[in-house]
């Protein structure tokens, strides 16, 4: 996952669909935080869709929500795509 994300340098926006992920542990949340920090430093916009409540709780505790903001969470990918289009040149 991290290798694929590192190769995604040509994209302005990253949308991660987490619909199939019903839980996450501390190390997974930490890895996601580090990824989001790295992407943000590179000027990328990151959004999540379909995040289960237990995953969102871990993301909140890990600081991901504080880093990206409440508006980084979407129910569906189509809504995220439409909202992030405003950041594309």
């Amino acid at each position: 996952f991290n290798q694929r994300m590192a190769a995604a340098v040509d994209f302005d926006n990253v949308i991660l669909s987490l619909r199939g992920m019903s839980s996450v542990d501390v190390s997974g949340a930490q890895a996601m935080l580090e990824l989001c920090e790295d992407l943000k430093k590179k000027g990328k916009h990151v959004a999540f869709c379909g995040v289960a409540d237990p995953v969102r709780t871990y993301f909140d505790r890990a600081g991901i929500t504080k880093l990206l903001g409440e508006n980084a969470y979407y129910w569906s990918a189509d809504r995220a795509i439409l909202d992030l289009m405003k950041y594309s040149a």
Side-chain angles (χ1 to χ4, degrees):
F1 176 78
N2 287 336
Q3 289 174 343
R4 285 228 156 157
M5 293 308 300
V9 294
D10 293 337
F11 302 108
D12 294 329
N13 303 307
V14 177
I15 301 171
L16 299 169
S17 176
L18 303 181
R19 195 163 305 283
M21 193 167 102
S22 59
S23 65
V24 66
D25 62 10
V26 174
S27 62
Q30 182 63 35
M32 186 63 75
L33 175 62
E34 291 170 7
L35 172 67
C36 291
E37 288 172 335
D38 185 53
L39 290 169
K40 238 186 124 141
K41 284 179 191 171
K42 293 176 180 174
K44 312 296 181 187
H45 295 96
V46 181
F48 300 105
C49 60
V51 179
D53 288 340
V55 175
R56 172 65 191 264
T57 299
Y58 260 101
F59 282 13
D60 292 348
R61 289 180 185 163
I64 295 168
T65 303
K66 184 177 180 181
L67 175 70
L68 300 178
E70 292 287 332
N71 59 349
Y73 295 91
Y74 297 87
W75 175 250
S76 62
D78 60 335
R79 177 53 39 201
I81 291 166
L82 291 172
D83 281 357
L84 292 177
M85 284 177 63
K86 63 186 170 194
Y87 298 113
S88 298

